[in-house]
Amino acid sequence: MNHLIDAFDVLLDPESWSGPGGFGVRMLEHLWYTALALIISAAIALPVGLMVGHTGRGRALAVISTGLVRALPTLGLITLAALFVGIGLTAPMIAFVVLAVPSILAGAYAGVESVSPATTDVAKAQGMSGWQVLLRVEIPLGLPLIIGGLRNATLQVVATATLAAYVGAGGLGRQLFLGLRTQDYPLMLAASIAVILLAIVLDACFEFSQRLLRRLLGLV
Amino acid sequence: MEWILNNLPRITDLTVAHLLLALPAVAAAFLIAVPVAWAANRVRPLREVLVSGTGLLYAIPSLPLFIVLPIILGTGVRDTFNVIVALTIFGLALMVRSAADALDSVDSGVRLASTAMGYSPAKRFFSVELPLAGPALLAGLRVVSVSTISLVSVSAVLGVQSLGSLFTDGFERGIVPSIAAGILLTAVLALLLDLLLIAAGRVLMPWSPGGGR
C-alpha cells in the first residue's frame, strides 16, 4: 500500500508534471500519438468500411482482418517495425494503424449494415441516388456503431501507445520504462495509473457522445 | 530459418512458458464468467452492472494493469501469478458479456418446460440451459483464447518469460528472425488452441451447428 501512496505523491506533485520530460508533456505526447493514429486509420478504414457496408462486397475480407488482428501480438509488431524503420515514432505509428484499422472498418460496415433494408429501400424509392442513400440515410443511422468502432480503436491505441516508449518514442510509457529500469516502483505505478485514467476518461467521452447521438437521432 | 533451428530449445521453452501463462487464464476466465453470467441473468438489476462493469475492465491497458495489480495481490510484477490474474481479468471482460448473452438466448419455453417436467434449478442449469447455451459459450471462449494468447507477450517488457521474450531479445539485439518467429508462433498457438476448442465442441456438443459428423 505504501507504494500506492508514493505513486499518488508523484502524481499530485506539480514538480513531476512540469518540465520537458514531465508527466504533462508525456501525457500530451500520448494523446497526440493517439489522435494521429486515429486520423490516419480513419482516413483508410472509414471509406473502405462504408463501401463494404453499402455494397456488401468484401465483407468476408473485413471480418477475417478483424479476427486476424486480435491474434497479432502488438509488441511483436512494434519491435519488428522498429528494426526496419529505426527507433522513433514511425515504428509505433505503423503498429497503431495496423491495430486501429480493423476496429474502425468493422464499426463502419456494421453501422451501415445495421440500417434496415426497408429504410434504404424507402430512400431509394423516393429517388435518392446511391450516394445520397449512403450520406443521408446509412451514415447518420449507423453513426452510433461507426463511433463504436472508433471507440474500440482509441482504446487499443491508447493502451498500445504505452509501448511506443519501448522503441524510443515518447508518451507516458517513458515514465513507466524509466521507473522499470531504475527499479522505481512508485514511478512505474504513477505512470500506469495515469495511462489507465487517460483510457477510462477517453472511453467515458465516447460513451457520452454515443448516448447523446442515440438520443439526438431518436434511436432510444 | 537458420536462427530458428539454432535456437530451437529456447523457443520450445518459451512456447511452453507462454502456454503456462495463457491456458490457466483462459480456463479461469471461463470458469468464473459462467456463474457470474448466470447470476447476472437471474437477478436482472444486477445484469447491467455486472455485464457493463466487467466490460469496462477491457478499457484498462494491459501493461499498466500488470504493474498496478501486484499492489492488490501482494505479488511481484514479474510473478507468473500476477500475469495470469491480469490475463484472467481481460478474459472476463470479454467472456462475461458473451456468457450472459449465451445463457440468455436459451428459449424461455424450453426453460419453463424443463421446470414443468420437475427439473430442479441446478439440474435444469446443467442438463438443459448449459448444453443449449454451449455453442454460443464456445464462440465466446474462442475469442478469449485468441486474445489471451496474443496479450501474454506484452508482459515480456517487464521480464516475464514467454514468446514475447523473442520480441524483446530480438529488438535489443537486432535479430529480425527472432521477432518474426515470435509473431508466427503466437499466431500458430492461437490457431491450434482455436482448432482444439472447435474439436472439443464437436465432441462434447454433437448437436451444435456443424458438429456431430
Side-chain angles (χ1 to χ4, degrees), chain A residues 50-110:
Chain A
L50 292 174
M51 276 341 271
V52 168
H54 183 70
T55 60
R57 273 187 226 132
R59 195 173 174 280
L61 203 72
V63 174
I64 290 171
S65 76
T66 14
L68 265 183
V69 161
R70 210 188 270 278
L72 213 57
T74 46
L75 184 63
L77 208 57
I78 290 183
T79 47
L80 189 65
L83 283 193
F84 282 108
V85 300
I87 56 173
L89 186 56
T90 320
M93 200 48 78
I94 293 172
F96 299 159
V97 171
V98 171
L99 288 173
V101 160
S103 298
I104 300 177
L105 197 70
Y109 79 69

Side-chain angles (χ1 to χ4, degrees), chain A residues 179-190:
Chain A
L180 184 68
R181 283 183 190 127
T182 56
Q183 306 261 326
D184 185 348
Y185 186 57
L187 182 63
M188 275 169 90
L189 207 53

Side-chain angles (χ1 to χ4, degrees), chain A:
Chain A
M1 269 303 143
N2 282 335
H3 286 313
L4 194 58
I5 294 166
D6 289 346
F8 275 105
D9 276 347
V10 172
L11 281 178
L12 295 174
D13 183 6
E15 195 85 328
S16 52
W17 284 83
S18 61
F23 271 88
V25 173
R26 294 304 178 205
M27 191 167 265
L28 285 179
E29 276 175 346
H30 209 103
L31 281 170
W32 160 238
Y33 293 174
T34 309
L36 186 63
L38 276 182
I39 291 169
I40 298 173
S41 314
I44 302 168
L46 277 182
V48 177
L50 292 174
M51 276 341 271
V52 168
H54 183 70
T55 60
R57 273 187 226 132
R59 195 173 174 280
L61 203 72
V63 174
I64 290 171
S65 76
T66 14
L68 265 183
V69 161
R70 210 188 270 278
L72 213 57
T74 46
L75 184 63
L77 208 57
I78 290 183
T79 47
L80 189 65
L83 283 193
F84 282 108
V85 300
I87 56 173
L89 186 56
T90 320
M93 200 48 78
I94 293 172
F96 299 159
V97 171
V98 171
L99 288 173
V101 160
S103 298
I104 300 177
L105 197 70
Y109 79 69
V112 172
E113 270 182 2
S114 74
V115 180
S116 97
T119 313
T120 48
D121 281 348
V122 169
K124 277 179 217 150
Q126 289 192 328
M128 282 193 182
S129 67
W131 277 106
Q132 283 174 320
V133 172
L134 180 67
L135 294 175
R136 297 199 191 161
V137 180
E138 289 174 327
I139 292 180
L141 287 176
L143 211 50
L145 281 176
I146 297 172
I147 293 182
L150 289 168
R151 178 182 181 176
N152 288 340
T154 308
L155 278 184
Q156 218 148 12
V157 175
V158 166
T160 315
T162 323
L163 289 174
Y166 186 74
V167 293
L172 284 167
R174 269 296 177 90
Q175 252 75 357
L176 195 153
F177 285 108
L178 183 67
L180 184 68
R181 283 183 190 127
T182 56
Q183 306 261 326
D184 185 348
Y185 186 57
L187 182 63
M188 275 169 90
L189 207 53
S192 301
I193 293 169
V195 177
I196 291 174
L197 287 179
L198 192 64
I200 291 176
V201 167
L202 282 178
D203 196 46
C205 289
F206 272 103
E207 171 77 29
F208 178 74
S209 62
Q210 273 175 304
R211 283 197 183 177
L212 193 72
L213 256 175
R214 283 210 182 90
R215 196 154 298 167
L216 288 178
L217 292 168
L219 293 179
V220 180

